Amino acid sequence: MSGSALDPKTAPVFPMAARAAMKDGQLRRNVRHATDMIQAKRARVVAEMPDWQELREAGKQIRQHTMENLDFYLEEFEANCTRAGGVVHWARDAAEAQQIIVGLVKASRSDEVIKIKSMTTEEIQLNSALEAAGIHPYETDLAELIIQLGHDQPSHIVVPALHKNRQQIREIFRREMNLPKLGERPEDLADAARIFLREKFLRVKTGVSGANFLIAETGGVCIVESEGNGRMCLTLPETLITVAGIDKVVPRFADLEVLFQLLPRSATGERMNPYNSIWTGVNASDGPRAFHVVLMDNARTEILADAEGRQTLNCIRCGACQNACPVYRQTGGHAYGSVYAGPIGAILTPQLQEMHHAQSLPYASSLCGACYEVCPVKINIPEVLIHLRNKVVKQNGPLNIEALAMKTMGMIFLSEQRFRAAQRMGRMAEAPLVRRDEKGAGWIGWLPGMLGGWTKARDLQEMPQETFRDWWEKRGTHGS
Amino acid sequence: MHWNTGYQSEALPLVKRFVEQFRGAETAVVPSSSCVAMMRDHYPKMAAEIGDAALIAEVSQLLPRVFEFSEFLTKRLGLEDVGAYYPHRVTYHASCHGLRNLGLGDGPVRLLKAVRGIDLVELDGLEQCCGFGGTFAVKNADVSSAMLEEKISTVLGTGAEVCTACDNSCLMHIQGALHRQKTGVKTLHLAEILAADEGAGL
């Protein structure tokens, strides 16, 4: 996959991008292997929780309550963070957030930043904005480093380099770190990354992070991670800039009791994240001297205003739905044309675009429900997908083949007479396409137009000579 | 189909139609788990959207009398052994809506296990979608076909002569590929196996 940014405004429609992605056998094997492994780990640690369903319900209630009172909790967070010495900024959209962050980095008199993995910074393409302003960002999360050095794009919310295997990662490190003799054992790769990053941690004076949670009650910010790079970025720089979507707020410190159980188990199959950092404002004797939080809307208010789409904002970015999704497992993340891939991406991306782009994504699902089943905060993703499909249908209007066909079929289903007539007509219409197989059964191996998608890989049996209705009527009303 | 593809306003009159057709029925048995899931998950909401108080009431009275075929047998009638005879190797595909939306659990498998002569083989990756998904099969034909291909290879891996399910739409899709690939494996709805006896010759 190319290094050009994943931008829903210019991305090809999902079926086209998926077809291209599925030609890459290596990618599919990598995605399959990684998602299988994380799913198995998740299943093990979820099974050991006797109250998992109650925890999911509690997680849902916390998130839902927060969204219903978002204005209140955001202001509470702002007041408490400010009181603790943080500076809160508000950004309407991606451009405004970029502008504020670039300004803050420049004010910190640094031309480089160390970064903690953050989907929000991916969403707003912060790295390109920083580079355009002459600021060099260093990704410090191992997978993000692989993506950055490989001029690649993230394909998973939690495991952004999941589409790469060890050998491919070694090649990237060999080339970009100038290490021709680098081995391919995990410890070789980790050592190389550690040496490469350690120097940046000690030198760079400005850090940029996202946030897992913003705690309204205390004004604290929380980041969970596995590698310790986050802890370095949060403690070593003189200036720390955090950017977070306004959906990241939780009411109370105690709410983390629920979320800290749900998130690591769902995301990486761990009982607890190795590093759980919470910091509140600044402290004269320790950590960054200056702390800024950029609270970004970027269409979240629009999503909040839609009663049926709103639950999308409950997401805590665990990626469990991606691992469980049979569509994502075939295509990998890049096919979704957005940094948010998989089922959550299929509902989040079009809404972040206010339904102006990415309208093929709500259809990138068989509605099998595996995503809903694993979601730690019980987001009914299939329900939101259907809701968004309805929005797309309304946008497309009544004058297209699909809409006309749907309307016609709706009319047929409403009347017994029309239904019987349609069955007779169907048998006549299909006749020229039907071929007999060796057993004498009639099959259709080719269909025209849109329906041709069906006959690419499947045959279709001809309509039966005797319908269920005919058979039922022949038996008499009460059967025998 | 209309609702799940996004044609909500076209789907609404079909709720009324269903109520008109089945209001007098003691029980409605539906041989398709996704149809029952549609009714249970969406009909109350759709009736509310139409805003017709009588329809809302009728939907809520009718829905408890609507059963998916296998749950009608196992839950409503408390049956497992229906006296069928089917001396063939069979594997069962758990359709997503039956599995997740209706919670059919092992009901269909218990019915199959009680069939005389049957050699029932468990399908690997039972919880995996077959890739049908209604209009998904046409709109995202490539992804759907790739999902189907995996399902077909697990079906063939069981050595079964027949793949059964509680949903004809999954079966139509699975059967389409089994026939295209000339595997000789056929699909049958669960009801067809349970209706088989020594003279049926299925």
Side-chain angles (χ1 to χ4, degrees):
Chain A
M1 274 282 160
S2 74
S4 59
L6 292 169
D7 187 346
K9 291 184 178 63
T10 53
V13 294
F14 183 80
M16 272 176 65
R19 186 181 309 151
M22 287 196 303
K23 286 184 184 143
D24 187 341
Q26 184 66 56
L27 171 101
R28 290 175 76 186
R29 281 191 295 279
N30 295 349
V31 172
R32 176 56 51 95
H33 174 73
T35 51
D36 275 347
M37 216 160 64
I38 310 171
Q39 279 205 98
K41 275 177 76 181
R42 177 202 167 271
R44 267 201 306 279
V45 296
V46 164
E48 68 190 25
M49 300 290 283
D51 58 347
W52 184 251
Q53 294 310 330
E54 288 80 1
L55 271 171
R56 285 179 78 216
E57 182 59 31
K60 175 189 168 173
Q61 296 292 339
I62 291 170
R63 297 298 290 151
Q64 201 168 298
H65 168 82
T66 309
M67 291 313 146
E68 282 162 6
N69 302 278
L70 192 59
D71 51 344
F72 174 81
Y73 289 118
L74 281 169
E75 287 183 5
E76 190 185 9
F77 172 80
E78 180 185 35
N80 287 326
C81 181
T82 308
R83 192 170 305 132
V87 184
V88 176
H89 308 259
W90 297 86
R92 192 182 311 272
D93 53 24
E96 230 175 78
Q98 288 174 350
Q99 201 185 347
I100 293 168
I101 298 164
V102 167
L104 290 170
V105 176
K106 287 194 166 161
S108 75
R109 282 183 291 178
S110 177
D111 59 0
E112 33 184 27
V113 298
I114 45 176
K115 279 188 69 197
I116 310 180
K117 174 179 153 28
S118 148
M119 288 311 295
T120 310
T121 64
E122 298 283 0
E123 175 188 329
I124 64 174
Q125 298 177 21
L126 180 63
N127 286 2
S128 346
L130 290 170
E131 280 162 7
I135 300 160
H136 190 89
Y138 294 104
E139 293 290 350
T140 66
D141 170 84
L142 180 56
E144 285 289 348
L145 178 66
I146 295 163
I147 297 291
Q148 189 178 32
L149 294 178
H151 311 286
D152 201 349
Q153 294 294 322
S155 73
H156 189 281
I157 289 174
V158 175
V159 200
L162 159 143
H163 57 289
K164 293 285 186 215
N165 69 12
R166 235 190 302 161
Q167 290 73 28
Q168 293 169 312
I169 293 165
R170 177 180 62 165
E171 285 318 307
I172 293 169
F173 281 10
R174 272 183 172 173
R175 191 177 66 231
E176 300 289 325
M177 296 178 181
N178 195 19
L179 297 169
K181 291 189 184 129
L182 182 64
E184 65 168 47
R185 295 177 310 161
E187 47 269 47
D188 298 331
L189 301 174
D191 277 349
R194 179 176 286 128
I195 293 164
F196 180 84
L197 290 171
R198 187 63 47 125
E199 182 262 328
K200 273 90 187 165
F201 288 134
L202 296 172
R203 192 187 73 226
V204 179
K205 300 294 181 201
T206 304
V208 171
S209 87
N212 287 99
F213 305 108
L214 308 169
I215 306 156
E217 179 185 48
T218 64
V221 182
C222 169
I223 289 251
V224 301
E225 38 121 11
S226 303
E227 296 165 17
N229 65 301
R231 187 65 63 80
M232 301 269 208
C233 292
L234 298 173
T235 50
L236 291 172
E238 289 168 8
T239 302
L240 175 61
I241 304 160
T242 295
V243 54
I246 53 172
D247 51 316
K248 289 297 173 70
V249 71
V250 294
R252 301 170 307 169
F253 186 76
D255 296 327
L256 296 181
E257 183 256 340
V258 173
L259 299 168
F260 271 19
Q261 295 188 71
L262 290 170
L263 179 55
R265 282 184 161 83
S266 301
T268 49
E270 290 168 305
R271 296 187 182 90
M272 189 178 170
N273 285 103
Y275 294 88
N276 300 277
S277 306
I278 300 169
W279 69 99
T280 308
V282 290
N283 187 306
S285 59
D286 191 18
R289 313 277 156 72
F291 171 52
H292 299 269
V293 185
V294 181
L295 297 176
M296 184 183 72
D297 183 343
N298 209 26
R300 285 158 176 78
T301 305
E302 294 288 326
I303 303 176
L304 191 65
D306 176 358
E308 288 177 81
R310 185 178 302 157
Q311 54 178 315
T312 311
L313 296 177
N314 296 354
C315 176
I316 56 172
R317 305 288 189 268
C318 73
C321 62
Q322 303 183 312
N323 304 325
C325 177
V327 175
Y328 177 92
R329 282 158 59 82
Q330 294 294 343
T331 65
H334 292 157
Y336 292 78
S338 159
V339 298
Y340 300 114
I344 187 65
I347 60 171
L348 181 58
T349 303
Q351 294 185 89
L352 287 177
Q353 299 293 324
E354 297 177 30
M355 301 308 288
H356 296 313
H357 303 278
Q359 291 99 330
S360 67
L361 289 184
Y363 292 93
S365 166
S366 64
L367 304 179
C368 81
C371 47
Y372 181 29
E373 194 172 54
V374 297
C375 177
V377 291
K378 294 171 78 169
I379 301 172
N380 191 334
I381 294 180
E383 189 178 275
V384 180
L385 285 167
I386 293 170
H387 170 62
L388 298 180
R389 288 177 183 188
N390 185 229
K391 288 191 165 193
V392 174
V393 163
K394 282 182 185 156
Q395 275 181 1
N396 290 346
L399 295 176
N400 60 77
I401 293 176
E402 184 186 285
L404 291 168
M406 285 288 177
K407 188 143 196 98
T408 310
M409 277 188 285
M411 298 297 291
I412 291 170
F413 292 159
L414 283 175
S415 138
E416 185 183 335
Q417 244 183 342
R418 285 196 290 266
F419 190 80
R420 284 176 190 270
Q423 283 180 326
R424 282 195 302 274
M425 274 164 62
R427 271 199 294 272
M428 284 192 285
E430 72 175 8
L433 300 172
V434 173
R435 302 282 174 273
R436 299 279 146 203
D437 68 8
E438 59 281 2
K439 290 179 189 152
W443 291 85
I444 298 167
W446 177 87
L447 285 167
M450 273 165 65
L451 298 174
W454 181 272
T455 44
K456 263 177 154 176
R458 322 164 188 82
D459 293 331
L460 184 66
Q461 197 161 21
E462 70 172 341
M463 292 170 70
Q465 292 309 308
E466 185 186 53
T467 65
F468 180 78
R469 276 166 188 274
D470 300 336
W471 175 79
W472 186 258
E473 280 159 7
K474 223 161 63 185
R475 285 163 56 102
T477 320
H478 298 291
S480 57
Chain B
M1 177 177 68
H2 287 85
W3 184 268
N4 282 349
T5 309
Y7 291 85
Q8 265 76 331
S9 50
E10 283 76 7
L12 293 178
L14 298 172
V15 180
K16 270 190 199 163
R17 171 79 183 158
F18 179 78
V19 170
E20 283 162 15
Q21 293 287 300
F22 289 93
R23 60 161 61 104
E26 186 186 341
T27 304
V29 181
V30 185
S32 161
S33 48
S34 55
C35 296
V36 180
M38 175 72 218
M39 295 173 199
R40 282 193 197 152
D41 293 351
H42 299 292
Y43 272 18
K45 205 166 61 184
M46 291 163 79
E49 199 168 315
I50 295 171
D52 175 343
L55 185 68
I56 296 171
E58 279 205 280
V59 164
S60 73
Q61 284 157 16
L62 181 52
L63 278 184
R65 307 202 305 273
V66 174
F67 291 89
E68 183 277 327
F69 171 71
S70 75
E71 70 181 5
F72 176 70
L73 297 178
T74 55
K75 293 183 185 168
R76 178 78 176 78
L77 301 182
L79 278 177
E80 278 187 23
D81 184 353
V82 298
Y85 171 74
Y86 192 71
H88 297 282
R89 180 174 276 215
V90 173
T91 192
Y92 167 72
H93 164 63
S95 298
C96 298
H97 290 165
L99 186 72
R100 300 199 174 90
N101 303 48
L102 304 186
L104 295 183
D106 65 349
V109 171
R110 281 187 283 126
L111 287 164
L112 284 166
K113 276 185 176 157
V115 173
R116 280 154 198 71
I118 200 166
D119 175 12
L120 190 65
V121 197
E122 194 180 327
L123 193 61
D124 267 351
L126 191 66
E127 71 297 336
Q128 286 290 325
C129 177
C130 67
F132 173 64
T135 51
F136 173 77
V138 177
K139 282 176 178 282
N140 278 286
D142 294 281
V143 183
S144 168
S145 304
M147 289 160 69
L148 173 59
E149 189 48 45
E150 279 177 30
K151 189 56 73 184
I152 295 300
S153 79
T154 56
V155 169
L156 295 178
T158 63
E161 301 155 71
V162 170
C163 175
T164 188
C166 297
D167 207 313
N168 269 334
S169 49
C170 303
L171 288 177
M172 178 173 77
H173 166 78
I174 292 170
Q175 176 194 45
L178 287 171
H179 188 265
R180 171 67 59 90
Q181 297 174 24
K182 302 191 191 311
T183 61
V185 179
K186 63 179 178 178
T187 58
L188 286 176
H189 190 279
L190 177 70
E192 295 177 277
I193 291 180
L194 298 186
D197 54 35
E198 279 167 77
L202 275 169

